[in-house]
Structures are given as C-alpha cells and as structure tokens.
Amino acid sequence: MTVSGKTLTLRVPLDPLFLPAFTSMVEHASRAFGMGNGETLKLVLAAEELFTYLIPLADPGQALDAECSDGVYCVRLSVLLPVQPLRMRAFNLTARWSPDSEPDLEDLGLLLAARSVDHLQISERPPRGMHLLLTKEKAYPEEPVPGSGPDPIPLKSFEVISPDPEEVKVLASHVCRFFPASEVPGIFRFPGKLVDMAACGEYGILAARDKGSGIGGGMAWRSQGSGLVEIFGPYVFHAAERSSVARALLDACVGKHGRTEALGVICRYGTSGVPAEYMESLGSLIRRKTSGTPLPQPVLYRQLKEDPGRWVWSHPRLRGFLEAQYDRLYLGRSIQVVEPAGEQRSPFSVFSTEFDRSHGRVTLRPLWEGADAAENLSRHMDLLQGEDVSQVLFELDTGRARQAELAPVLMDGGFEPRLVIPHGGEGDLVVFQYRKDGAGQ
C-alpha cells in the first residue's frame, strides 16, 4: 500500500485471504478523509461485495489495483479490474433479484455495490481490463425551510468578489429563499456541501458585495464536458439592482473563462437573471407546472471563442436533426454515420439515473452500451412511472460512436431529440425528452 497526498493505493491479490486488507484500506481511508460512519460503512460494503464477486472470476495470481482518494465532499474508490466482461445488468437502477434464480444470486454482489454508492462510472481498460469509479458523498445538513433570517439590504455600491465560506452560505440561503425552485440547482439547498465543492474546484462562485450591506447577489458555475461551463444564476436579491448587478456578475464570469480553454457557457436553470443580449437559445425542454400546464424551459448558450469544429458520430435517423441544429447554431461539424454491422457486443447495457427531486426531473445517461438497450430503456420507463417526476431526459454524447447507435432505441421508445449542447461531453450532447412528459406539445 502507498500513500500520496490524500490518496491511498493498494495492489492486492484476488484471494479471499486478502479481502480484510482491501476493506480495511477503504474504511481507514474514508474515516481519515472525514467521511461519516454511515457513509463509510456503505462504501466498505460496496468494496467488499465487489471484491467477493471478482474472486471466482479471476485467474490464479491476478490482482486488483485500487485507489481511495479524498474528494473533499466525497470519497472516491477507483478500481482497475483484470476481469471482463462483468454481468453489467446489476448496475442498473432497475436490477432486481430473486432467491430462486442462480444468475440473480451470482449478480447480487454487484447490485449491492451499485446501491451502496452515489455515483458509478465504468470504462474499458485495454487489453481486457475494466475500470470502475465508485463515489460516496458525505452527508450534509439541508438548508432550513426558506423564510427565516434577515432580509438582504439593498446595495449602495458593490464589488464582485470570490466569497469566503461564510459568504457562500449566506448566498445559498438567500438564493433558496428568494428564487423559485425551477431556477435553483439542488446544491444550493446544502450550503456546507457547496462550500466544500467550491474548495475542491468543482464549483466556482462569485458574489456582489457591498461592504456596508453584505451580499446582494451572486452566481455559480462548474465545468462540463470537453469545453463547456454551466452557469447558475446570476441571482440578484433586489429588483431595482437586477440589471446592473447581473451584468457585472456575468461580465466577471465570462472574463474568467475567456482566459481558459472553455469554448462556451450554458444556462439551464431559468433565465430571469440573464440579460437577453448575453446568450442565445439552444432550444427548450418542456416542464409542467403544478397545474399540469406544459411550460417551455429555454436553454441558453454563449460561445466564448471561435468554435474549432469537430468530428461527431450520428445514427442515420438522427442525422437530419443534427444538421438542422448545427446549421442554426453555425457550428462546424463533420457528421460520420454509424450503424451496427453485426459485430459482437456486450449482452447487457447500463444506464445511470440522476434524480433531481426538487425539479421533478430524471436524466438517464448510457454508462455501458449493450444489446439489451431497448429492453433496458423500457424497464427504466416502467419503473419511473411510479415516481413523482414530470420530466425524463436522456443524454447522448456524439463523441462516442457506440452511444450514437442508441438513437433509434430512444426514438422508438417514446423520446424525441430536443436540443444539442455544444462540447457537453467528449463531443456534443444531444438531449432527448420523453414525449409523454410534454415534449413536442
């Protein structure tokens, strides 16, 4: 075992004798990184089940390479597996098991591992290995019900600053209090988590501050994909100041990213704080008000520098939509059509499922492409019918050829393409929306 900074690495034989060494490393690292007892035990359970599952599949002498690292707001367990393929279906939200089914019992360890963590990423590592990244987030208290606390004081004069941790918590509290949930990402409901995510660089935050009045507004952002910045806000707490403060915050944000490798800025959470001339529309999704009335949800974009152009993958059924979007947005793209040609593929697919309860939204993304994609999508939609969600999205990455092949599965399964997000993944992201949620109405 080696230690570097806030990372522990371990190479351990896939042998039952070494299971305690592996789980002990995960447990002690998690506690050292500040993880609470309950979250630590769940990550240890995931590690134990994964290791136990792999033992009978490994060849004699094969070892597992593991790395446990501190993510400030989370602990990440990175595992390089010498075994492929795994029975991937156990990683899906829809996975179920029966004590009377021998294959289900064999997959139970993977199912328990997937259920014990908050995020899971899967990738191939040539020649035959696989890489799993399991993330367990720390527990944070949620912001009290909006309505408590003093009102912010109107700004007399202000400066745009990078707020300190206490100012970040004040900003988050005011945003939750004075803005509708449709315009606020869930992270603002957990001020301490937002502070830690800013400290580790996953979020950037700006605030408008008057030395005599305190915080009068602010905004946040995070990097996404190959060259995209997603912004949240700007949020300004007094209507009379909304235009001037919002422009100052946006100018400061764009100025910061104009000096980086970022190519564009996107805003998905409402538009009330964004001056009309700052961004253009990529299109819209549909969300439903409590009355059931469909309401367009614009998605805004601003190009920061000249688009370099790129090669993207598309299924023939999606090509016309992509060409129309790229022409409208003046994006140079060379579209390569891809279709299955009888090549061997994994029997099972894996979709990640991200719930955003405060907005009634679920976003599906492909983690692993397999031959059962249509059945897997149908199982997910059956499951989601019983959930309190009004918007189901599916994101495809045009930079990954295997994902492009999923387009007809989605279109035959009730989804329609709504918009393209430039540079949102390895390539661009195509966002599909389930039609029964109001898309196209």
Side-chain angles (χ1 to χ4, degrees):
M1 185 168 66
T2 60
V3 181
S4 175
K6 286 198 171 183
T7 299
L8 276 72
T9 61
L10 178 70
R11 183 174 178 83
V12 57
L14 278 167
D15 184 294
L17 294 174
F18 291 91
L19 174 60
F22 179 54
T23 56
S24 178
M25 185 272 283
V26 174
E27 179 178 2
H28 285 86
S30 298
R31 296 190 189 281
F33 298 153
M35 183 88 84
N37 186 62
E39 292 72 40
T40 293
L41 293 180
K42 288 182 180 180
L43 187 58
V44 171
L45 173 63
E48 179 179 2
E49 294 293 345
L50 180 62
F51 193 94
T52 303
Y53 173 86
L54 292 171
I55 289 172
L57 302 179
D59 295 331
Q62 282 191 315
L64 178 147
D65 291 297
E67 178 179 281
C68 204
S69 58
D70 180 16
V72 183
Y73 72 96
C74 66
V75 175
R76 297 186 177 95
L77 176 61
S78 174
V79 183
L80 184 60
L81 311 176
V83 177
Q84 190 188 31
L86 302 180
R87 289 184 286 273
M88 292 293 189
R89 62 183 177 184
F91 289 134
N92 285 292
L93 176 69
T94 56
R96 297 291 183 267
W97 73 282
S98 168
D100 300 323
S101 169
E102 184 173 344
D104 284 0
L105 289 173
E106 291 174 352
D107 292 348
L108 181 58
L110 290 185
L111 188 151
L112 290 173
R115 295 293 193 276
S116 299
V117 297
D118 295 302
H119 304 285
L120 173 69
Q121 295 178 6
I122 309 170
S123 59
E124 291 181 283
R125 288 291 176 90
R128 286 186 55 80
M130 294 187 62
H131 177 246
L132 295 183
L133 180 62
L134 299 91
T135 302
K136 188 64 186 175
E137 296 184 354
K138 299 176 183 178
Y140 291 85
E142 189 169 358
E143 171 69 15
V145 177
S148 60
D151 289 344
I153 302 172
L155 303 177
K156 296 177 181 178
S157 62
F158 67 90
E159 58 181 339
V160 175
I161 61 164
S162 296
D164 64 30
E166 291 304 315
E167 290 170 325
V168 170
K169 290 190 286 185
V170 170
L171 173 64
S173 177
H174 287 341
V175 168
C176 291
R177 183 178 177 188
F178 292 104
F179 284 82
S182 62
E183 297 188 14
V184 181
I187 183 61
F188 279 80
R189 302 199 320 272
F190 300 87
K193 185 176 181 179
L194 181 59
V195 168
D196 283 351
M197 295 186 84
C200 70
E202 291 211 14
Y203 276 80
I205 303 175
L206 290 174
R209 182 184 66 185
D210 184 315
K211 292 183 178 179
S213 306
I215 301 298
M219 64 181 300
W221 69 84
R222 66 179 177 186
S223 296
Q224 178 186 333
S226 58
L228 186 68
V229 174
E230 181 172 12
I231 65 171
F232 309 97
Y235 305 106
V236 184
F237 307 132
H238 287 276
E241 304 161 347
R242 187 156 294 165
S243 177
S244 60
V245 175
R247 290 172 188 277
L249 288 166
L250 283 167
D251 285 341
C253 180
V254 169
K256 277 180 175 288
H257 293 103
R259 299 187 294 270
T260 69
E261 298 299 316
L263 298 171
V265 172
I266 186 174
C267 178
R268 289 193 260 201
Y269 281 84
T271 61
S272 63
V274 179
E277 72 274 13
Y278 265 77
M279 306 180 85
E280 62 179 319
S281 175
L282 291 178
S284 66
L285 303 172
I286 301 296
R287 62 183 179 89
R288 291 188 178 276
K289 302 174 70 174
T290 54
S291 63
T293 304
L295 184 67
Q297 177 188 335
V299 178
L300 303 181
Y301 180 75
R302 174 167 175 158
Q303 192 77 19
L304 294 179
K305 50 179 68 77
E306 184 178 355
D307 189 276
R310 68 191 317 159
W311 180 287
V312 297
W313 299 96
S314 173
H315 188 274
R317 288 180 60 181
L318 190 61
R319 181 169 185 167
F321 172 81
L322 289 180
E323 289 177 337
Q325 296 300 308
Y326 290 143
D327 286 346
R328 181 175 68 85
L329 298 171
Y330 301 101
L331 295 174
R333 298 293 186 266
S334 178
I335 299 176
Q336 175 64 41
V337 172
V338 58
E339 287 186 276
E343 64 271 26
Q344 184 177 355
R345 60 184 54 223
S346 170
F348 300 116
S349 58
V350 182
F351 301 152
S352 72
T353 310
E354 180 183 331
F355 283 86
D356 186 345
R357 299 288 186 184
S358 62
H359 298 90
R361 178 170 61 244
V362 174
T363 303
L364 302 173
R365 300 179 181 91
L367 289 180
W368 191 264
E369 297 79 28
D372 74 334
E375 295 83 356
N376 194 10
L377 181 65
S378 178
R379 289 193 297 269
H380 276 78
M381 297 312 301
D382 288 343
L383 178 65
L384 292 174
Q385 297 305 313
E387 297 287 337
D388 184 21
V389 296
S390 59
Q391 190 182 68
V392 182
L393 308 178
F394 201 112
E395 295 181 352
L396 287 188
D397 189 339
T398 65
R400 301 184 62 177
R402 288 185 180 178
Q403 288 195 18
E405 296 176 7
L406 291 174
V409 171
L410 294 173
M411 297 165 86
D412 291 340
F415 286 79
E416 69 172 9
R418 296 290 297 181
L419 52 90
V420 172
I421 299 177
H423 319 294
E426 292 183 22
D428 306 318
L429 288 184
V430 183
V431 182
F432 292 75
Q433 182 165 10
Y434 192 52
R435 284 198 297 265
K436 290 184 180 180
D437 293 325
Q441 296 182 7

